[in-house]
Amino acid sequence: MQAIMRKWAIGDAASLFEVYNDTPDLVRQIGPISDLAAADDLLDGYRSAWDANTGWVWAIAVQDRIVGSVGVTSINWRHRTGWCWYWLGRTARGNGLASRALATAAVEAFTDDLYRLELAHRTNNPASCAVATNAGFAVEGIERAKLEYEGVRFDCETHARLATDPRPDIELLEVV
Ligand SMILES: CC(C)(COP(=O)(O)OP(=O)(O)OC[C@H]1O[C@@H](n2cnc3c(N)ncnc32)[C@H](O)[C@@H]1OP(=O)(O)O)[C@@H](O)C(=O)NCCC(=O)NCCS
C-alpha cells in the first residue's frame, strides 16, 4: 500500500475527527475528542511538542487521506529515550501499515540521536504486539495491572528498540 508520513498540519483537525468518529476503539488511544475544537487542541499539542523537540508525531496518509498516526513522544534528551505509539483508522487496518510506520518512526528517531525507544501494549492487544515485534521492538517484560479502563485493570507488555539493535526487514514509509 502506497502511504506516506508527514507532520500533522494546521487544517488536519477535520480529517482527524472523521477518522476518530469512524473508529470506536480510538477513544482509548487518543480520546475523548468531543468536537473539532478538541481535535484542533490535540494537533496544537503535537505541533508544540515538535517545536520544543519533546515529541514527534506524524500523520499517516494514503493518497492524501489521513488514516492514522505514529508518535515518538515524552522524549528525554538526558537519556535519549522516547515513547512510541501508533493507531490506524478502522478501514486502514490489516495492511501492515502500522508496522511500517513504527519502523519508519524509529529510523527517524535514531537519525535524530535518540538511543532507546519504548512502548507498551495491553496483553490483550495482540495486533499491537505484532506491530511492535515487526518493527524490531524486543519484549522486555510485563507490567502488572498498569492501565484501568471502565473499572477493569490491564497488564501491559513493554517492548523497546535500541539504536544498536538490528534493523527489521520491513519496507519503510516515505517521510515528506
Ligand atoms: C494496533 C493497530 C495499529 C494495528 O493495526 P494493523 O493495521 O492491524 O497493523 P499491521 O497490519 O501493521 O500489523 C498487524 C499485525 O497484527 C496481527 N494481528 C492483528 N490482529 C490480531 C489478533 N487478533 N491476534 C494476533 N495477531 C493479530 C496481524 O496478523 C499483523 O501481524 P503480521 O504482520 O505479523 O501478520 C490497530 O489495531 C489500532 O490502531 N488499534 C487501536 C490503537 C492501538 O491499540 N494502538 C497500539 C497501542 S499500544
Side-chain angles (χ1 to χ4, degrees):
M1 179 178 272
Q2 270 305 96
I4 55 113
M5 280 163 51
R6 65 160 172 81
K7 274 190 196 181
W8 284 95
I10 294 171
D12 282 336
S15 303
L16 171 61
F17 196 46
E18 189 185 328
V19 184
Y20 173 82
N21 281 324
D22 187 47
T23 312
D25 64 16
L26 289 185
V27 68
R28 284 188 176 177
Q29 186 69 25
I30 52 170
I33 302 177
S34 50
D35 52 24
L36 263 185
D40 238 338
D41 285 348
L42 189 62
L43 297 186
D44 263 353
Y46 293 165
R47 282 190 295 271
S48 304
W50 207 298
D51 290 345
N53 216 17
T54 55
W56 307 315
V57 181
W58 294 267
I60 304 167
V62 175
Q63 289 169 347
D64 280 343
R65 213 177 120 252
I66 289 174
V67 298
S69 190
V70 58
V72 180
T73 52
S74 302
I75 292 174
N76 178 324
W77 283 109
R78 169 67 185 83
H79 298 291
R80 295 195 286 141
T81 58
W83 183 261
C84 298
W85 51 265
Y86 34 90
W87 59 262
L88 289 175
R90 189 178 53 82
T91 58
R93 293 183 185 176
N95 297 301
L97 210 47
S99 304
R100 292 172 64 200
L102 178 61
T104 306
V107 169
E108 294 287 306
F110 294 141
T111 301
D112 281 344
D113 214 28
L114 291 190
Y115 186 81
R116 175 182 160 85
L117 299 174
E118 302 167 344
L119 65 84
H121 60 82
R122 280 174 287 124
T123 49
N124 67 346
N125 188 352
S128 182
C129 185
V131 167
T133 303
N134 290 343
F137 286 66
V139 172
E140 292 200 329
I142 301 292
E143 295 178 280
R144 294 171 304 148
K146 183 183 169 83
L147 298 178
E148 180 174 320
Y149 293 112
E150 290 90 42
V152 180
R153 299 207 65 93
F154 294 89
D155 291 351
C156 287
E157 186 171 70
T158 303
H159 295 236
R161 182 171 157 189
L162 307 183
T164 48
D165 283 343
R167 276 195 182 196
D169 181 17
I170 186 169
E171 188 188 356
L172 300 182
L173 298 183
E174 184 187 1
V175 181
V176 298

